[in-house]
Amino acid sequence: CCYNAQDSNNPLSESQSWYQEMSKLRAKFEALQRTQRHLLGEDLGPLSVKELQQLEKQLECALSQARQRKTQLMMEQVEELRRKKRHLGEMNRQLKHKLEAEGPSNYRTLQHAAWPAPGGAVVEHDGATFHVQQQQQQPPAHSAAMDCEPTPA
């Protein structure tokens, strides 16, 4: 077995190796910081036209990828909302059929309760209480009474 004791016990060569590794990492870190500043639009003065064009191309590519990902996420959300809409529509149909099957009078009661007098109505069905509110429509901004001039008494 041949063992080279000089290489493993030489602290000078090991420290030089660590120093070289540290120098490489420091240079790489500084280059990454410089690139980050350029991508953020900072420190562009020393760049040549060719470097600026390359930077512009990188930014356009990154923007395109970000837009594609955003579009993909939005399309997924739209599809999920469509699924929810279909599911809720089906649930609504099932509930309507269930109410109709339980008795036409119950169904008509709920239908008429959807347009109660101001203040809403309370409908009870199978132990459940439903609060039904009428949607209030806002009066028009100008009515005929507002356009009339008062007459002297």
Side-chain angles (χ1 to χ4, degrees):
C1 179
C2 185
Y3 179 73
N4 192 350
Q6 292 177 355
D7 289 343
S8 63
N9 289 333
N10 188 349
L12 183 60
S13 68
E14 189 174 324
S15 67
Q16 285 178 342
S17 172
W18 282 110
Y19 181 77
Q20 287 175 349
E21 182 70 19
M22 187 181 73
S23 296
K24 288 178 187 177
L25 289 173
R26 180 177 286 138
K28 195 172 196 175
F29 176 71
E30 289 171 358
L32 288 171
Q33 279 186 322
R34 192 170 38 257
T35 301
Q36 181 184 19
R37 284 193 306 272
H38 293 161
L39 290 171
L40 293 173
E42 301 169 359
D43 196 25
L44 299 177
L47 297 180
S48 68
V49 171
K50 186 175 181 178
E51 291 170 324
L52 288 170
Q53 287 174 336
Q54 184 180 6
L55 178 62
E56 182 179 23
K57 189 174 181 177
Q58 286 177 327
L59 289 170
E60 286 174 351
C61 182
L63 181 60
S64 174
Q65 289 174 348
R67 285 182 177 151
Q68 287 175 355
R69 178 66 179 143
K70 181 185 79 169
T71 301
Q72 177 188 2
L73 288 174
M74 290 174 69
M75 295 303 289
E76 289 171 4
Q77 289 174 348
V78 165
E79 187 55 38
E80 179 64 25
L81 290 172
R82 285 182 180 148
R83 278 194 292 274
K84 286 181 181 179
K85 178 184 174 187
R86 285 191 299 269
H87 178 71
L88 290 173
E90 181 58 32
M91 285 178 55
N92 192 16
R93 280 189 292 282
Q94 289 174 359
L95 289 172
K96 182 179 175 183
H97 290 304
K98 184 178 177 182
L99 281 173
E100 289 173 345
E102 289 179 2
S105 62
N106 289 338
Y107 180 68
R108 279 195 293 280
T109 302
L110 284 175
Q111 267 188 324
H112 294 306
W115 293 277
V122 176
V123 178
E124 293 190 28
H125 180 69
D126 287 339
T129 304
F130 299 93
H131 297 276
V132 183
Q133 285 294 115
Q134 178 182 10
Q135 287 187 342
Q136 305 239 343
Q137 292 186 356
Q138 298 296 326
H142 297 315
S143 66
M146 296 172 106
D147 292 336
C148 296
E149 293 291 325
T151 57

